[in-house]
Amino acid sequence: MGEEPLLQKLRIQEDIESAKHKLVNDDVDDGDGPVTFILLFTTFTALCGTFSYGTAFSFFGSILTIGGLVGAAMSGKLADLLGRRGAAWFLDIGRLFLGVAAGLSCYVVPVYIVEISPKQIRGAFTAVNALVMSSSVSITFLVGSATSWKTLALISTVPCVLEFVGLFFIPESPRWLSRNGRVKESVAALQRLRGNNTNITKEAAEIKIYMENLQEEFKEDCFFELFKPRYSRVISVGIGLLVLQQLGGLSGYTFYMSSIFHKSGFPNNIGVSITSAVQLVTSILGLIIVDKYGRRSLLTIATVMMCMGSLITGLSFLFQSYALLNNYTPISALIGVLVFFVSITVGIGGIPWVMVSEMTPINVKGSAGTLCNLTSWSCNWFVSYTFNFLFQWSTSGVFFIYSIISGLGILFVLKMVPETRGRSLEEIQADITR
């Protein structure tokens, strides 16, 4: 009995490889096809949710679709009409909508983009998700410094409206349709995404074979299924990367950036503007190189940079506390913050969610998403809550703690994280759950 799951996984891989071999011999192309208008439009619609999530992450501006639309409206001028007490209630309710929708969008958007993108450009398409995230945070910081939060909240409803309208015109994920037995609809959705002139035979067959074998073994998505040995690496890598992302200091740097610059003596508005500009540029760089060098390589480089960024920031405040190199503290603190945020935009910010989406088999995607969201947001709250206390305890110590955690993260990435570049989702999932 103990060998049965392994044999089933090996059979899935053998069926996929057999189908691919047959199709290659029959001169069928790989089905990736051109980048079609519907693929771009579908991705744009999904990314509206990411943009909204980013504005909410930096300042409770808006978030995904209806939740964001209602949340942003309630957080804005509508509250003024109800007096101080009514405004407080609407503000709280609006922020509740934002939080719920943020929890959904941070997982659903990358999963959807991963499932609809051709494998040869999947990395670039998912890197756009990180680019949009950092762009939304940067734009919110810049616009928020020039206008009131009420106006900002109303402006932030725009991407929510665009996404809500776009959802009526985009296809469902072909893999989700196939998983639920709607094979004809799955093929139609895949053909629509790849273009009418693209031969999707190979890709459609690969998806169909994998889902059929999966349905023979699993009937439904059960939360406790995650804790079976076959999913140990998937869960370990996914949870590990998200814990590294948060406990490495992401929320502390993001929410308390102004405090960091103020304490170091660097002008706050200039520091935020420079950081936002650098994030935009490095996000574009990440978009260009993610499919060339792969997820694992970028994660390794990004984790090293995250460690160095916190170390530089910590050393800046350490020297300041001993009245050493005071003239250099502001600029060295800025350098540390910039290095840290470059690591976020190049890899640590978006790739963990992408890899969770790529590695998790569709039969446990819902349960895995729940566990990953719970872990990520719990760590987010923990870092947000403790940063101010730690910063008051020791302005340098808090960053040394983040640097140590990031250093351990380097070892984790090198030891545990697989490379997924250039492989179909079915290949990745069959291999990692063996």
Side-chain angles (χ1 to χ4, degrees):
M1 292 296 292
E3 296 182 356
E4 185 177 347
L6 176 59
L7 293 175
Q8 288 172 322
K9 292 300 175 186
L10 289 173
R11 180 161 56 83
I12 292 174
Q13 272 200 313
E14 290 171 358
D15 288 346
I16 291 173
E17 292 301 324
S18 175
K20 288 170 64 179
H21 181 71
K22 180 180 184 301
L23 291 168
V24 168
N25 289 341
D26 290 342
D27 295 325
V28 177
D29 63 36
D30 61 7
D32 277 351
V35 178
T36 61
F37 170 78
I38 188 62
L39 179 62
L40 292 175
F41 176 74
T42 300
T43 304
F44 169 79
T45 301
L47 289 175
C48 286
T50 297
F51 189 93
S52 302
Y53 165 52
T55 60
F57 187 70
S58 58
F59 188 70
F60 51 94
S62 65
I63 205 58
L64 184 69
T65 317
I66 300 177
L69 185 60
V70 175
M74 286 183 172
S75 296
K77 294 186 177 179
L78 178 62
D80 288 344
L81 303 176
L82 302 173
R84 182 171 297 178
R85 180 170 296 183
W89 274 103
F90 267 83
L91 183 61
D92 289 340
I93 295 172
R95 296 191 68 176
L96 176 63
F97 274 108
L98 300 180
V100 172
L104 291 172
S105 66
C106 69
Y107 181 66
V108 173
V109 172
V111 165
Y112 183 67
I113 293 175
V114 161
E115 291 189 355
I116 66 171
S117 302
K119 65 181 180 182
Q120 299 301 332
I121 56 172
R122 190 174 64 235
F125 267 69
T126 50
V128 174
N129 189 57
L131 171 62
V132 171
M133 165 64 81
S134 61
S135 300
S136 62
V137 173
S138 302
I139 291 171
T140 303
F141 273 129
L142 295 175
V143 175
S145 64
T147 186
S148 70
W149 69 267
K150 301 170 188 176
T151 303
L152 181 62
L154 291 176
I155 293 174
S156 299
T157 61
V158 174
C160 303
V161 173
L162 291 176
E163 182 175 25
F164 180 70
V165 173
L167 286 173
F168 291 98
F169 301 97
I170 64 175
E172 182 56 85
S173 162
R175 288 173 170 84
W176 183 87
L177 290 169
S178 183
R179 164 63 178 161
N180 287 275
R182 297 156 65 178
V183 178
K184 290 184 179 180
E185 293 177 61
S186 172
V187 173
L190 186 63
Q191 188 72 73
R192 187 181 173 198
L193 288 165
R194 301 292 182 262
N196 293 329
N197 297 323
T198 301
N199 191 331
I200 62 167
T201 306
K202 177 180 176 181
E203 188 175 6
E206 189 173 332
I207 293 172
K208 183 174 182 293
I209 291 170
Y210 181 79
M211 294 304 169
E212 285 177 350
N213 282 291
L214 205 60
Q215 286 175 337
E216 289 179 11
E217 185 176 356
F218 307 104
K219 298 303 180 183
E220 59 183 13
D221 184 351
C222 176
F223 183 80
F224 294 102
E225 189 76 27
L226 288 175
F227 301 100
K228 291 187 176 180
R230 64 171 66 90
Y231 299 121
S232 58
R233 192 181 181 196
V234 173
I235 298 304
S236 298
V237 172
I239 296 297
L241 289 176
L242 293 173
V243 169
L244 170 64
Q245 177 194 73
Q246 294 298 335
L247 296 190
L250 176 58
S251 299
Y253 275 92
T254 303
F255 297 147
Y256 294 94
M257 190 189 304
S258 297
S259 299
I260 296 171
F261 285 134
H262 177 74
K263 188 68 176 179
S264 70
F266 196 90
N268 176 52
N269 288 340
I270 296 176
V272 170
S273 299
I274 292 174
T275 303
S276 300
V278 170
Q279 280 187 282
L280 290 174
V281 173
T282 53
S283 294
I284 296 172
L285 176 64
L287 173 65
I288 296 172
I289 65 177
V290 66
D291 273 322
K292 183 175 182 180
Y293 297 104
R295 282 55 143 179
R296 188 172 184 270
S297 300
L298 283 182
L299 273 176
T300 304
I301 294 171
T303 309
V304 171
M305 293 183 68
M306 185 166 67
C307 179
M308 293 303 298
S310 292
L311 182 62
I312 294 170
T313 308
L315 289 173
S316 301
F317 286 114
L318 180 64
F319 291 143
Q320 183 188 57
S321 65
Y322 287 101
L324 299 173
L325 304 175
N326 282 341
N327 292 335
Y328 296 97
T329 298
I331 189 65
S332 60
L334 173 66
I335 292 172
V337 171
L338 290 179
V339 171
F340 180 88
F341 274 107
V342 167
S343 76
I344 297 301
T345 53
V346 168
I348 293 296
I351 290 181
W353 287 108
V354 171
M355 295 204 69
V356 169
S357 305
E358 290 179 327
M359 294 186 303
T360 309
I362 198 167
N363 63 295
V364 292
K365 253 187 171 57
S367 300
T370 300
L371 183 60
C372 288
N373 264 325
L374 178 62
T375 302
S376 179
W377 287 104
S378 297
C379 293
N380 180 294
W381 171 84
F382 177 78
V383 173
S384 304
Y385 182 78
T386 59
F387 179 88
N388 199 37
F389 297 108
L390 292 172
F391 197 55
Q392 291 177 3
W393 161 69
S394 172
T395 53
S396 59
V398 59
F399 296 105
F400 289 143
I401 291 173
Y402 294 155
S403 182
I404 291 171
I405 293 172
S406 301
L408 295 174
I410 297 171
L411 300 177
F412 176 81
V413 172
L414 292 174
K415 181 68 176 177
M416 293 292 294
V417 177
E419 181 55 75
T420 60
R421 175 174 61 107
R423 304 172 68 190
S424 71
L425 298 184
E426 288 68 35
E427 288 178 289
I428 296 168
Q429 292 161 12
D431 181 59
I432 201 170
T433 56
R434 289 177 59 177

